[in-house]
């Protein structure tokens, strides 16, 4: 079971959502904050280095000790008073299970599996969005994680890439605790609320809706469509406190 303070969450953003940024968002009133995404195994770390060298430096962090780094970042973020999750990129089951151990021991409140990243250097390894195309592998990974995690497991993915309702059936069969859905629809400027409606009707799993949440109106529409919470990303880059501001507006607007 996931525990959040309110209906508005800080979504992970590579190169942005470090401990300090998450602390500021949490202190301002975010319901939960998500660190990362972070590469956790040798394969994704090397891929991040290659991505950096084609101009996307946010996908690579120079680290001496990953375990110490995660513990430090989680501790900083938790000082803001909100639950903290960590968004994990991995390309191997071994790397994923190691990530589970590191995240859990860091004091984080939830583990988020990244099935969302579209960078080819990650997907060609079978990580990120590539996981959506291999249900058996994804189920094996989740079962492995669920066997060791004592904190909730979130999975983040982009809608309209595969058959989302079939994916949800598979995820429900292995007991994922939270769906974090980027309700993107190609060629559509706002979130695909219809896919949120369909998933919320087909599954009782806690659903976080993401995509183009930049105002009270959009947040409320996502919640009305069936999301139990919304997550905010680019809207907050200039000021992480905007998450808290939106959270207060949403709580005031929702019926008590």
């Amino acid at each position: 079971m996931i525990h959040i303070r309110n209906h508005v969450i800080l979504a992970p953003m590579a190169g942005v959502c470090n401990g300090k940024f998450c602390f500021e968002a949490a202190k301002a009133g975010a319901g939960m904050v998500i660190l990362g995404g972070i590469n956790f195994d040798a394969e994704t770390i090397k891929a991040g280095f290659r991505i950096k060298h084609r101009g996307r430096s946010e996908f690579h962090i120079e680290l001496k000790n990953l375990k110490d780094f995660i513990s430090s970042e989680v501790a900083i973020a938790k000082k803001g008073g909100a639950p903290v999750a960590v968004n994990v990129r991995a390309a191997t089951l071994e790397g994923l299970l190691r990530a589970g151990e590191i995240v859990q021991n860091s004091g984080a409140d939830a583990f988020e599996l990244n099935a969302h990243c579209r960078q080819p250097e990650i997907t060609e390894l079978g990580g990120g969005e590539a996981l959506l195309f291999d249900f058996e592998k994804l189920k094996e990974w989740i079962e492995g994680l669920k066997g060791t995690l004592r904190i909730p497991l979130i999975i983040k993915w982009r809608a309209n890439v595969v058959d989302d309702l079939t994916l949800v059936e598979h995820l429900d069969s292995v007991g994922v605790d939270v769906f974090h859905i980027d309700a993107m629809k190609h060629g559509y400027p706002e979130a695909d609320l219809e896919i949120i409606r369909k998933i919320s009707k087909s599954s009782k799993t806690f659903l976080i809706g993401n995509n183009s949440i930049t105002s009270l109106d959009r947040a409320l529409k996502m919640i009305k469509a069936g999301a139990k919470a919304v997550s905010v990303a680019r809207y907050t880059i200039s000021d992480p406190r905007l998450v808290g501001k939106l959270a207060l507006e949403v709580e005031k607007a929702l019926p008590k």
Side-chain angles (χ1 to χ4, degrees):
M1 180 65 181
I2 193 79
H3 296 285
I4 61 174
R5 297 193 301 183
N6 56 53
H7 294 81
V8 182
I9 292 165
L10 175 66
M13 292 179 282
V16 175
C17 288
N18 57 20
K20 186 176 184 299
F21 193 92
C22 288
F23 163 76
E24 294 293 344
K27 184 179 177 183
M32 181 171 74
V33 294
I34 307 178
L35 285 162
I38 298 169
N39 301 322
F40 267 82
D41 55 12
E43 291 79 0
T44 53
I45 290 170
K46 290 176 183 176
F49 188 73
R50 295 196 300 274
I51 296 170
K52 175 184 176 180
H53 278 268
R54 63 170 170 81
R56 298 294 300 276
S57 61
E58 68 269 30
F59 285 90
H60 180 70
I61 306 171
E62 294 288 346
L63 298 176
K64 292 183 178 180
N65 187 300
L66 180 60
K67 181 180 177 181
D68 290 347
F69 172 78
I70 297 299
S71 293
S72 175
E73 294 294 287
V74 168
I76 293 168
K78 291 198 79 162
K79 289 178 182 178
V84 177
V86 180
N87 180 280
V88 172
R89 299 190 207 99
T92 63
L93 178 57
E94 180 183 4
L96 187 70
L97 295 178
R98 177 171 175 263
E101 180 181 357
I102 290 173
V103 170
Q104 186 162 258
N105 292 339
S106 73
D109 300 286
F111 180 106
E112 182 168 86
L113 172 59
N114 186 321
H116 181 266
C117 181
R118 294 185 294 183
Q119 300 302 311
E121 293 87 347
I122 299 291
T123 59
E124 69 188 13
L125 297 171
E129 193 171 86
L131 287 167
L132 303 180
F133 296 92
D134 190 341
F135 287 146
E136 292 307 312
K137 176 181 176 179
L138 182 56
K139 288 171 68 175
E140 178 190 5
W141 280 25
I142 290 169
E143 287 170 344
L145 272 174
K146 292 289 287 185
T148 59
L149 281 181
R150 299 184 303 276
I151 56 177
L153 173 60
I154 308 168
I155 179 167
K156 185 178 184 193
W157 79 90
R158 184 177 287 100
N160 299 304
V161 173
V162 297
D163 184 325
D164 291 292
L165 296 184
T166 300
L167 175 62
V168 163
E169 287 182 16
H170 284 283
L171 296 177
D172 275 339
S173 74
V174 287
V176 171
D177 299 293
V178 180
F179 299 154
H180 188 178
I181 302 171
D182 176 353
M184 178 180 176
K185 188 172 184 179
H186 185 69
Y188 193 67
E190 297 183 13
D192 180 3
L193 298 180
E194 185 58 31
I195 194 62
I196 297 296
R197 289 189 189 95
K198 289 179 179 179
I199 292 173
S200 66
K201 289 179 180 178
S202 69
S203 173
K204 295 181 179 179
T205 299
F206 193 97
L207 193 164
I208 302 169
N210 167 267
N211 191 280
S212 306
I213 304 297
T214 58
S215 67
L216 174 62
D217 179 62
R218 290 188 177 186
L220 293 177
K221 284 180 179 177
M222 182 73 79
I223 292 169
K224 185 177 180 180
K228 294 293 192 298
V230 300
S231 71
V232 187
R234 294 185 183 93
Y235 171 66
T236 71
I237 286 179
S238 64
D239 185 353
R241 295 172 298 179
L242 290 171
V243 187
K245 180 177 180 291
L246 182 59
L248 291 173
E249 293 175 349
V250 168
E251 296 310 305
K252 287 180 180 178
L254 289 174
K256 298 297 184 283

